[in-house]
Amino acid sequence: MSSTNDSPKSLIQTLKQLGPGFLQSACTIGGGTLGACLFLGSFAGLSALWIQPFAMLLGVGVLLMITHVTLSTEKSPFGQINQHVSPVLGWGWLIATVAANMVWGLPQYNLGTDALTQMVVPGVLGKDGALGGEGGTMGRVIATAVMAGCAVGIMLTQLRKGKGGRLFDRLIQLVVAGIVICFGAVVIKLLSTGSLSIGSIAQGFIPSPSLFFEPASGYTEMLGQSVNVEFWSDRITTSQRNTALAAISAAVGINMTFLMPYTLLARGWGKSQRGLARTDLFVGLLIPFILVSGFVVSAAAATLHGKANVNQALIEWKFSDPGEANPSGLGPYRDNLVAFAKDNIEGWDKETKAKDKTPEQVAQDNVLLDTIPESERLIAAATIKHGTAALGATLESLFNGKTGVFIFGVGVFFIALSTVLVHMLINGYALEVGFGIPRQIGSLLPLVAVIGPFFWGELSAYLVIPTSMIGLMLLPVALWGFLLLGQQKKLGDAKFGPVMLVVGIFVTVVYTLLSAWAAYGKIGDWLTKTIDGISPKIGWVGPGLIAAVAVAALLTSPLVRGKKSESSDAAE
């Protein structure tokens, strides 16, 4: 494919041509990023502000490598990988991308529906709203339909050529801008009330590895009153470290690596647009991501970090004499107390697994949980993982009404909507490239995710681990594939230069290690919970699967088999 666009000559021309980077923003600033930022802010406070920018700098490095290869060859990377690296890798990359789009759309609809029914228009679509219906079911149906309708309507503009495609770009840019504005407004309010300061925010962007090895400063006072400082310090530090590493490893998903090259090719960009593409990634992806993640982490840190008082209902809860309605977060709170009780409460049965305990044993556990000192209950309440509802509730008091909750809810809805839109776009490209399915049809298939608000809880147990594992197995191998493509002799002067080569090797090695770590944890947790008596070392199956995919890709590679590449590929 030859380039159809001239390289922009002015700043105005450059800004007009920006687009692919904003699509990457819309894809990565989703429910996963929102959750990671909430967890980082609530667990580690402002000291975690540097984590997400660092993660996205790695992500931009990955996308720069992919962009360079795509624009230098001006050919389909799916065909290039199949032809020059390995068909196992090429087809695995495509199938993993489609699977990710289909599965991860489910929680996005769940998130968007929750935002509309609980924060934006609860009086209309909430459980007690005018259109909520019995138990709020009708409200969720309407909210889901609204979100799906918006997604389809905006998507149809993209499928039209010319002005329709440019309109889609502008709508995506407006959605990303709306996300930035909504969360920015929350932080401005926190600054005006003294809950945050510019200095403390700026300090949080200075890398501080200490959060990987010790509890954040927000827990100092509570830990000083604990009867077992070592237990809580280890538990808090582990949560901080795992949350930070998970956020870094999830900054770039495998579907993002598919989105970037095909949005570039669809615009007719080529070698002369490589500089524009780099600018686009920084302006459209890096800056919005840093702003949004920084706003959410700051808001969570200011309102939730080290603050057990936001969970006062939990601290006062009596397990042996429960009330009629369970307070929010009761499950994670009880898990924290149970973990403490196993090593600190005399008479606790550590031998019998929780799922095997009789009602009488559970009742005895509840009596023992009520004996845990308040100092430990405070820490247990302060270290639960918070969702969007918890932050929304604190904002209600901060804004002296529903305004803050509404603004926050609109931002959350935009996050979910933008991610759904980009999933549809990626799916259209993937199915068209791989199977020749018209993009109009392929783009609409992710709409099956509208069942998310009603069945995500039941489906997640069966879909999350397999889909995560497919992505984790193929992402590092795909990156090695692009690294090899960038070293092809036929690229001539367009081969990776020293700087691009160093960046490519660095990000590929880092993501390989992170994927292995994440795969170890996911497989280990899943199998130890489902199979009694199995050793936690079973988690090594995860990195083993990554190695197996790498070996399969190597054995089917023309580089190993000694076959000369053909001059063209049918999939291009």
Side-chain angles (χ1 to χ4, degrees), residues 87-230:
V88 168
L89 178 55
W91 280 103
W93 180 46
L94 185 144
I95 292 169
T97 294
V98 173
N101 292 333
M102 303 294 279
V103 172
W104 297 124
L106 292 164
Q108 303 304 327
Y109 275 99
N110 198 39
L111 179 68
T113 297
D114 283 347
L116 289 177
T117 58
Q118 297 176 19
M119 291 181 276
V120 180
V121 283
V124 179
L125 301 178
K127 287 184 178 180
D128 300 320
L131 301 178
E134 185 176 352
T137 302
M138 182 54 67
R140 294 183 71 78
V141 170
I142 295 172
T144 303
V146 168
M147 186 171 172
C150 290
V152 171
I154 296 174
M155 193 66 219
L156 289 176
T157 66
Q158 199 279 335
L159 295 173
R160 286 186 247 152
K161 296 181 179 179
K163 291 184 178 179
R166 288 194 293 274
L167 176 60
F168 177 81
D169 287 347
R170 299 296 172 260
L171 289 173
I172 287 292
Q173 290 169 1
L174 287 173
V175 169
V176 172
I179 294 170
V180 172
I181 291 169
C182 286
F183 291 111
V186 171
V187 170
I188 290 172
K189 180 64 177 181
L190 289 167
L191 287 168
S192 69
T193 61
S195 301
L196 285 172
S197 68
I198 297 293
S200 61
I201 291 175
Q203 187 174 0
F205 282 103
I206 300 174
S208 175
S210 63
L211 68 86
F212 288 89
F213 308 106
E214 62 185 33
S217 58
Y219 298 110
T220 302
E221 184 177 346
M222 283 186 285
L223 288 173
Q225 300 172 5
S226 173
V227 299
N228 193 334
V229 176
E230 184 179 357

Side-chain angles (χ1 to χ4, degrees), residues 46 117 303 320 389 399 429 487 567:
L46 293 175
T117 58
T303 57
S320 58
F399 280 79
Y429 284 133
Q487 290 300 100
S567 60

Side-chain angles (χ1 to χ4, degrees), residues 96 98-107 446 448-452 455-473 522-523 526:
V98 173
N101 292 333
M102 303 294 279
V103 172
W104 297 124
L106 292 164
V448 299
V450 296
I451 65 174
F455 300 106
W456 174 240
E458 292 81 0
L459 291 173
S460 61
Y462 302 99
L463 297 176
V464 169
I465 294 298
T467 305
S468 297
M469 279 307 306
I470 291 172
L472 289 170
M473 285 188 294
K522 287 180 181 293
I523 283 288
W526 182 44

Side-chain angles (χ1 to χ4, degrees), residues 58-72 257 260 278 281 475-476 478-486 496 500-509 511:
L58 289 176
V60 168
V62 167
L63 296 173
L64 283 173
M65 179 172 64
I66 294 172
T67 295
H68 183 95
V69 171
T70 303
L71 295 183
S72 295
T257 66
M260 192 68 198
R278 289 192 290 269
L281 278 174
L475 179 60
L479 297 185
W480 284 107
F482 276 104
L483 192 60
L484 291 172
L485 282 176
F496 286 164
M500 192 68 251
L501 182 60
V502 170
V503 170
I505 292 174
F506 177 74
V507 297
T508 301
V509 170
Y511 268 99

Side-chain angles (χ1 to χ4, degrees), residues 27-101:
C27 186
T28 194
I29 303 176
T33 296
L34 179 62
C37 291
L38 284 172
F39 296 160
L40 281 171
S42 60
F43 267 119
L46 293 175
S47 64
L49 275 170
W50 66 275
I51 293 291
Q52 292 286 35
F54 172 74
M56 190 44 66
L57 279 172
L58 289 176
V60 168
V62 167
L63 296 173
L64 283 173
M65 179 172 64
I66 294 172
T67 295
H68 183 95
V69 171
T70 303
L71 295 183
S72 295
T73 62
E74 299 183 6
K75 294 179 180 178
S76 162
F78 173 68
Q80 291 284 293
I81 289 175
N82 282 344
Q83 180 183 350
H84 299 293
V85 183
S86 166
V88 168
L89 178 55
W91 280 103
W93 180 46
L94 185 144
I95 292 169
T97 294
V98 173
N101 292 333

